[in-house]
């Protein structure tokens, strides 16, 4: 068996959460990431028959039974993950009953997966239906996107359009727009259900006064999605106090979509 700490998926997870921390998206234990792993790949590093312990999931995730995920631990600080992955991360398999997670590796200090696991797993279920290649769900607290939820309408068309207009890349990277939820209590099945419903239509979902969820085929793509939305939000917040003399128009948005061959949400450009 090879050392799982040297596996590409673990190394990439460590690097990703370090970068999230470095960018200020994840204060203290803020944020959580889940990565769907290939079971044949995992078998190179771990004996799939060796279950360290079982942990209740808190809802029925039977649709994901047998699937293996690398998940950040609850209460763990992203700044510490790279130096100590075994305490801060875990590799879990969803048991056949759907309501139990089988711990294959990690959470070595007796910890458990993120409190947001319902939102993660429900979002995985939703996104896999739209894109069978989806592997990642990522949650964090970027300052500018969060700030926008205090001063901007939470209408998702208007919220998205404000970001699209901040820089060319926003239309290119998230032409499918951003879903927005009003403030809700985090860590509950209810916010998981609401997030997953939005994930039927969006790869990005903002939680007002809390943070953002992103989904994608790999860690880089999902990170880049959030990074681009946050860059747009930073420009929005920085320009807010000043009179706007010029901006990206609806005509410009159409030109961008055509040039980059992307399809924007129908009716969201006038
Ligand atoms: P966890 O520490 O349980 O992952 O929670 C962090 C968070 O961001 C809650 O929304
Ligand atoms: Zn959070």
């Amino acid at each position: 068996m090879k050392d799982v700490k040297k596996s590409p998926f673990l190394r990439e997870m460590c690097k990703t959460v370090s970068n999230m921390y470095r960018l200020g998206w994840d204060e203290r234990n803020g944020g959580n990431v889940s990565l769907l792993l290939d079971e044949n790949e995992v078998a190179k590093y771990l004996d799939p028959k060796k279950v360290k312990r079982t942990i209740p999931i808190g809802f029925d995730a039977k649709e994901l039974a047998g699937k293996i995920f690398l998940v950040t631990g609850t209460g763990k600080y992203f700044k510490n993950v790279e130096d100590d992955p075994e305490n801060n991360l875990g590799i879990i398999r969803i048991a056949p009953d759907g309501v139990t997670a089988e711990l294959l590796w990690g959470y070595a200090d007796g910890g458990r997966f993120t409190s947001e696991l319902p939102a993660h797993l429900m979002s995985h279920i939703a996104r896999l239906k739209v894109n069978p290649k989806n592997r990642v769900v990522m949650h964090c607290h970027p300052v500018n996107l969060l700030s926008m939820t205090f001063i901007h309408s939470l209408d998702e068309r208007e919220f998205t359009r404000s970001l699209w207009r901040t820089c060319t890349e926003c239309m290119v990277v998230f032409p499918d727009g951003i879903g927005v939820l009003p403030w809700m209590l985090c860590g509950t099945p209810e916010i998981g259900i609401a997030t997953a419903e939005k994930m039927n239509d969006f790869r990005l979902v903002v939680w007002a006064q809390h943070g953002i969820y992103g989904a994608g085929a790999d860690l880089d793509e999902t990170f880049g999605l959030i990074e681009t939305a946050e860059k747009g939000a930073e420009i929005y917040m920085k320009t807010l106090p000043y009179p706007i003399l010029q901006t990206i128009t609806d005509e410009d948005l159409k030109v961008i979509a055509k040039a980059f061959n992307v399809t924007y949400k129908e009716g969201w450009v006038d």
Side-chain angles (χ1 to χ4, degrees), residues 17-199:
V17 298
S18 291
N19 277 330
M20 294 171 77
Y21 174 70
R22 189 175 55 78
L23 290 175
W25 301 353
D26 298 282
E27 77 294 340
R28 201 173 181 274
N29 66 307
N32 21 77
V33 184
S34 59
L35 168 65
L36 174 57
L37 299 175
D38 180 286
E39 50 199 87
N40 296 321
E41 181 69 9
V42 174
K44 293 182 197 163
Y45 302 92
L46 298 170
D47 180 349
K49 288 191 285 302
K50 279 199 185 144
V51 175
K52 288 182 179 289
R53 57 190 159 100
T54 56
I55 311 171
I57 292 177
F59 77 102
D60 189 350
K62 217 174 253 126
E63 279 189 64
L64 297 171
K67 297 242 185 290
I68 301 174
F69 293 90
L70 174 58
V71 189
T72 54
T74 186
K76 301 302 187 191
Y77 293 27
F78 276 15
K79 76 180 177 64
N80 297 337
V81 174
E82 197 153 19
D83 285 340
D84 187 8
E86 199 155 356
N87 277 320
N88 292 292
L89 301 174
I91 296 179
I92 56 166
R93 179 174 56 210
I94 312 303
D97 66 8
V99 294
T100 315
E102 299 168 328
L103 181 64
L104 301 179
W105 178 87
Y107 308 141
D109 58 3
R112 49 184 283 146
F113 42 74
T114 172
S115 58
E116 303 291 4
L117 195 71
H120 279 254
L121 294 187
M122 290 180 202
S123 295
H124 276 286
I125 292 170
R127 287 312 303 173
L128 282 167
K129 286 183 185 145
V130 182
N131 174 18
K133 291 204 169 82
N134 195 86
R135 295 286 174 271
V136 177
V137 173
M138 186 179 281
H139 165 62
C140 55
H141 306 158
V143 175
N144 295 288
L145 280 163
L146 243 150
S147 303
M148 260 184 87
T149 68
F150 288 82
I151 50 117
H152 194 286
S153 138
L154 296 183
D155 178 280
E156 45 206 18
R157 180 181 186 273
E158 288 316 309
F159 198 92
T160 299
R161 284 169 54 77
S162 290
L163 291 176
W164 279 347
R165 282 192 291 253
T166 60
C167 56
T168 309
E169 282 301 298
C170 283
M171 170 56 94
V172 178
V173 175
F174 53 92
D176 45 344
I178 301 187
V180 182
L181 288 177
W183 184 89
M184 291 174 77
L185 186 63
C186 59
T188 62
E190 289 73 27
I191 202 167
I193 292 166
T195 307
E197 258 171 34
K198 293 286 179 198
M199 285 278 181

Side-chain angles (χ1 to χ4, degrees), residues 25 138 173-174 219-230:
W25 301 353
M138 186 179 281
V173 175
F174 53 92
L219 286 164
D220 267 357
E221 181 190 305
T222 316
F223 183 94
L225 201 52
I226 293 176
E227 193 179 24
T228 310
E230 171 63 2

